[in-house]
Amino acid sequence: MARIRLEGLTKAFGPVVAVNDVNLSIEDGELLALLGPSGCGKSTILLMLAGIYRPTRGDIYFDDQRVNDVPPKGRGVGLVFQSYALYPHMTVFDNIAFPLRLRRAKREEIERRVREVARTAQIEELLARKPSQLSGGQQQRVALCRALVKEPELLLLDEPLSNLDARLRIETRTEIKRLQRELGITTILVTHDQIEALTMADRIAVMRSGVIEQLSKPQELYERPANLFVASFIGDPPMNLVRMEFRNDGGMPRLETAGLTIQLPPSARPQLERAEGREVVLGVRPEDLRFRTEPAPGLPVAQVFMLEPLGRDTLVDMRAGQQSIRALVPGSSEAKIGDTVYLQLEVEKLHVFDGVTGVRLDLGAGEQPALRVEAKGGA
Amino acid sequence: MPELAQNRPAAGLRADPRVLARERRRERALAFGVYAFLIIVSLPLVAGYGWLVLNSFSTELVHGVWPEGFTLRHWRFLWEPPSDYYPDLWRTTWNTLWLAIGMTVTMVAVATPTAYALSRMKFRGRSLFLALTLILHAFPGITLLIATYYVLRTLGLLNSIPGVFLVKAALMLPLGVWVMKGFYDAISWDVEMSALVDGASRIQTWYKVMLPQVMPGVASISIFSFIYGWSEYIYVITFIQDKNAWTLSSYINSIVGDYRFLDYGLLSATALFYIAPVLLFFFFTQKYLMRVTIGGTKGGS
């Protein structure tokens, strides 16, 4: 088991910088997810950790040993590819035994360890088959066994679930997490699927264009996204984002845009001072947005535009002025298409970002959780 | 059940025996036409081989087609040379085999690693190299005959079988390399990276993981090389005058060019003797050749 540290890690392919100055440390036994859209550099980091790619700049440390120049075979890394990358000409047994044979392990030891790991993953009865005779889920388990059989210091999983069907994905997710806990292996999971990352990881590094945008625990990522990118990337359905202007004339701090004005409590002013006179982006998660159908003076008005029943919840599309806003409400909503509704916003659930840099601006709501935003439908 | 009865005509239409019979007749007529065409087109080829067989076993062919009198006289060359002019047949056969095998081994030994490098490694001049090999392949080998003669003479490889198969292999290598490259290209990078991470060196990865997956490619270029080597004619008669180094094609060539008279019976018998091993070889190996069109990734992961 190992502690992994990346320092100023950079990888360029010609003029294209795939990974740009990444600093990251992963604790012993931790499961860290690298989450981001395709092409964000997450797989490149994985291949650098495996020793396939050599970093252009920066260092990789396993415990306190610098491994930049250590070839893949010397790193003690287990890697599971999205495509599983099984050896098609070998049986399942030979696939799993391959890393041990390369180490010239004794025949009895190979036999014992292959059976042991196959039992853990419940594929013992498949050992004599060829990969082409296995289902996707079984192939996935074989790949995992092959990575685990050498008792790696570091386990790397590259989109391990994305080739499985929905039901199998949930099962395998739990299974991998259980195995990882039991064995206590430091694990890095690369994925573009936020559910995969949120459910499995201890911490998540959200990446974009070769840079880590935010590194935090899953819950914090959801509750306090550090910038606009993370806010829009995490959450399904995505967060409502509305460009507004911060006004403070006459001692009445408020956010304004055509057709919508949101009055902030006076106490919110100091925290927003950095945004004074600037454009900001207001973010509200659909599941945090509530509305009522009885008229309530002072609340922003919206029209129900479309209803999308999702079973447990219903997604309500609304128009407020020129803004399109979505709310996720439980079960059968009373609202009907064409209804006029009144939006209820809670200050703790609002996210405000700088309109230029996209950085999160603190509303200071944490200090006054009792205060409610007074919102007003504007002209 | 009135509803069911109403539905019957539509369902019955498909099962109507008269319609089925008409359909079957039409299919049979079409098949007959196709077969008739193919038979007519391939008749000249079959006739050629048939003529060889008849000619080699009969005393005389009346009007050149009708066999009369069974004889093994023409096959005497198997145990005694037709005249003092000819070298020992078995030595000649051995030379032919040596040429075919030498050609095969050279092709496989060079094309397999070359194609791996071209498929998997980045190096300066890679695409130029690929283009050049194609040009070399498009080059008619016969135009190089005199130049290669001088080269072989300088190297002391005239009148030797290795001289012939080296030249022949050199000209066939582009094809072999391209075929093999196709097989390597079909293997995903993930598999190769996976082997590296599992602890294999680059060389181990090549022969433990990559090579077994391109075996159909190796089989196909082996078969092609063997057949080309076995039936090589122009380089053999150009580069080999020494009778001890003759192959079967020089043997037959000299029967055709015999100064006394042309013995068709002997010619047919030796020709059959020459063809038989290739036919047998092809018969047993063609199932490997069939895979070339399918590609190198059966049931890949």
Side-chain angles (χ1 to χ4, degrees):
Chain A
M1 314 303 119
R3 226 178 128 253
I4 311 296
R5 208 164 81 242
L6 311 180
E7 281 181 7
L9 195 66
T10 301
K11 177 70 185 175
F13 298 99
V16 183
V17 180
V19 174
N20 196 357
D21 194 26
V22 164
N23 295 291
L24 187 60
S25 76
I26 299 129
E27 294 307 316
D28 192 6
E30 187 181 9
L31 199 164
L32 180 110
L34 293 175
L35 174 66
S38 54
C40 70
K42 55 196 195 297
S43 291
T44 308
I45 291 186
L46 207 69
L47 292 176
M48 281 195 277
L49 283 164
I52 303 282
Y53 289 161
R54 191 182 288 265
T56 311
R57 270 194 310 281
D59 297 307
I60 302 172
Y61 293 93
F62 283 17
D63 287 325
D64 285 313
Q65 191 205 348
R66 184 173 172 277
V67 296
N68 283 34
D69 304 315
V70 179
K73 60 186 291 189
R75 293 199 184 187
V77 163
L79 176 51
V80 177
F81 285 93
Q82 181 180 0
S83 65
Y84 315 138
L86 299 177
Y87 310 125
H89 57 293
M90 298 183 195
T91 62
V92 169
F93 184 96
D94 291 336
N95 262 282
I96 301 175
F98 188 70
L100 299 177
R101 294 212 169 111
L102 286 170
R103 282 193 207 161
R104 305 182 186 286
K106 291 213 179 65
R107 184 179 291 267
E108 309 84 67
E109 195 201 343
I110 293 175
E111 183 79 22
R112 182 178 57 77
R113 279 171 68 176
V114 170
R115 298 220 171 264
E116 205 175 275
V117 74
R119 196 175 316 126
T120 327
Q122 294 158 12
I123 53 163
E124 247 188 320
E125 69 284 359
L126 305 176
L127 287 175
R129 296 208 203 161
K130 287 277 180 71
S132 56
Q133 298 167 299
L134 304 180
S135 71
Q138 292 169 331
Q139 291 190 13
Q140 212 268 349
R141 278 158 190 262
V142 175
L144 193 62
C145 283
R146 188 178 61 186
L148 289 175
V149 77
K150 52 187 163 182
E151 292 166 359
E153 301 272 315
L154 172 64
L155 181 63
L156 304 174
L157 306 171
D158 189 0
E159 308 266 4
L161 306 180
S162 49
N163 284 1
L164 302 177
D165 63 55
R167 180 187 289 258
L168 201 55
R169 198 175 298 180
I170 296 175
E171 269 174 38
T172 314
R173 198 160 80 192
T174 323
E175 186 79 354
I176 292 180
K177 200 169 173 177
R178 177 182 68 82
L179 275 173
Q180 192 265 343
R181 284 282 141 78
E182 273 176 24
L183 303 170
I185 299 181
T186 313
T187 303
I188 296 176
L189 166 78
V190 158
T191 180
H192 67 273
D193 181 354
Q194 47 170 308
I195 304 293
E196 220 169 288
L198 290 168
T199 51
M200 291 171 73
D202 297 318
R203 280 189 306 158
I204 299 174
V206 180
M207 289 191 66
R208 178 175 61 161
S209 314
V211 177
I212 293 182
E213 295 277 346
Q214 185 171 1
L215 171 66
S216 52
K217 294 205 160 78
Q219 202 57 34
E220 195 185 335
L221 208 60
Y222 174 81
E223 282 169 0
R224 291 180 58 81
N227 54 46
L228 260 180
F229 173 75
V230 177
S232 59
F233 192 76
I234 301 287
D236 182 37
M239 188 185 274
N240 293 301
L241 295 169
V242 184
R243 286 206 165 262
M244 301 186 105
E245 218 162 299
F246 178 66
R247 289 284 164 77
N248 196 23
D249 40 348
M252 298 289 269
R254 62 194 185 278
L255 300 173
E256 279 184 5
T257 185
L260 187 65
T261 299
I262 293 175
Q263 199 79 52
L264 297 172
S267 62
R269 196 169 64 97
Q271 284 77 30
L272 266 177
E273 213 146 34
R274 280 161 61 201
E276 179 73 63
R278 270 205 269 171
E279 216 182 23
V280 296
V281 177
L282 175 72
V284 190
R285 294 203 181 275
E287 53 271 37
D288 292 335
L289 194 61
R290 291 285 168 266
F291 57 80
R292 48 197 287 183
T293 41
E294 317 85 65
L299 293 187
V301 183
Q303 252 77 41
V304 175
F305 181 69
M306 184 64 81
L307 295 170
E308 296 172 46
L310 303 172
R312 190 166 52 97
D313 303 309
T314 301
L315 192 58
V316 184
D317 266 298
M318 294 176 292
R319 291 282 158 88
Q322 290 163 4
Q323 302 296 332
S324 171
I325 294 171
R326 302 210 281 182
L328 194 65
V329 298
S332 48
S333 169
E334 292 158 25
K336 286 183 291 294
I337 293 174
D339 275 1
T340 300
V341 292
Y342 303 86
L343 304 179
Q344 295 171 302
L345 302 163
E346 281 178 61
V347 73
E348 310 93 85
K349 301 288 175 70
L350 295 183
H351 308 266
V352 179
F353 305 95
D354 189 299
V356 180
T357 62
V359 173
R360 181 186 187 87
L361 301 172
D362 228 310
L363 269 182
E367 290 141 36
Q368 289 130 318
L371 265 178
R372 286 178 67 87
V373 176
E374 290 173 35
K376 234 179 228 157
Chain B
M1 298 198 285
E3 292 97 339
L4 261 180
Q6 268 174 1
N7 283 335
R8 202 153 278 168
L13 199 64
R14 226 191 269 160
D16 183 350
R18 269 176 308 171
V19 175
L20 272 181
R22 202 186 312 146
E23 201 110 300
R24 216 176 294 147
R25 265 200 306 278
R26 202 194 302 156
E27 258 171 44
R28 221 175 280 165
L30 185 69
F32 179 80
V34 169
Y35 279 108
F37 173 76
L38 290 176
I39 288 169
I40 291 167
V41 168
S42 49
L43 214 52
L45 285 170
V46 177
Y49 286 109
W51 187 84
L52 276 183
V53 175
L54 294 176
N55 213 351
S56 72
F57 287 111
S58 55
T59 37
E60 200 192 347
L61 278 187
V62 180
H63 306 307
V65 282
W66 193 251
E68 230 174 32
F70 178 81
T71 177
L72 287 175
R73 176 167 57 92
H74 305 307
W75 289 90
R76 268 202 331 261
F77 73 99
L78 289 177
W79 57 90
E80 59 178 48
S83 74
D84 295 342
Y85 178 74
Y86 296 94
D88 176 50
L89 175 79
W90 297 104
R91 188 194 178 93
T92 309
T93 309
W94 167 248
N95 284 341
T96 317
L97 191 65
W98 170 211
L99 173 57
I101 290 173
M103 169 93 183
T104 309
V105 171
T106 313
M107 284 287 290
V108 171
V110 179
T112 314
T114 308
Y116 175 77
L118 287 172
S119 168
R120 285 304 208 245
M121 294 174 173
K122 266 193 231 158
F123 50 89
R124 195 186 290 266
R126 178 175 165 275
S127 44
L128 181 72
F129 186 85
L130 275 170
L132 282 178
T133 51
L134 265 194
I135 291 172
L136 185 64
H137 185 59
F139 217 84
I142 198 146
T143 56
L144 295 170
L145 217 49
I146 296 171
T148 43
Y149 186 92
Y150 279 107
V151 173
L152 288 184
R153 196 178 63 177
T154 315
L155 294 172
L157 286 171
L158 275 186
N159 283 318
S160 79
I161 297 293
V164 177
F165 70 63
L166 285 178
V167 171
K168 183 71 183 164
L171 288 166
M172 244 194 91
L173 265 172
L175 177 72
V177 168
W178 276 87
V179 168
M180 288 307 296
K181 181 177 175 290
F183 278 88
Y184 282 119
D185 287 348
I187 303 176
S188 85
W189 269 104
D190 286 1
V191 173
E192 199 171 354
M193 289 181 187
S194 184
L196 290 174
V197 172
D198 277 348
S201 65
R202 200 84 201 245
I203 297 281
Q204 281 175 321
T205 303
W206 177 64
Y207 76 79
K208 288 195 170 173
V209 172
M210 304 295 278
L211 205 52
Q213 293 188 63
V214 297
M215 280 322 276
V218 172
S220 63
I221 64 168
S222 304
I223 294 163
F224 277 125
S225 318
F226 187 88
I227 292 172
Y228 277 114
W230 182 268
S231 52
E232 179 52 29
Y233 171 69
I234 188 78
Y235 293 116
V236 171
I237 60 159
T238 312
F239 300 144
I240 293 180
Q241 273 83 45
D242 182 359
K243 284 184 194 164
N244 285 326
W246 268 17
T247 69
L248 284 172
S249 54
S250 355
Y251 198 89
I252 289 172
N253 183 50
S254 77
I255 292 173
V256 175
D258 199 307
Y259 58 93
R260 294 165 305 164
F261 63 98
L262 187 47
D263 183 342
Y264 280 111
L266 176 63
L267 177 62
S268 310
T270 45
L272 281 178
F273 179 75
Y274 186 28
I275 298 168
V278 179
L279 282 183
L280 279 180
F281 180 73
F282 191 77
F283 181 76
F284 287 113
T285 56
Q286 50 130 349
K287 63 168 187 258
Y288 298 104
L289 274 187
M290 295 301 134
R291 289 205 215 158
V292 179
T293 48
I294 301 166
T297 54
K298 192 200 164 265
S301 47

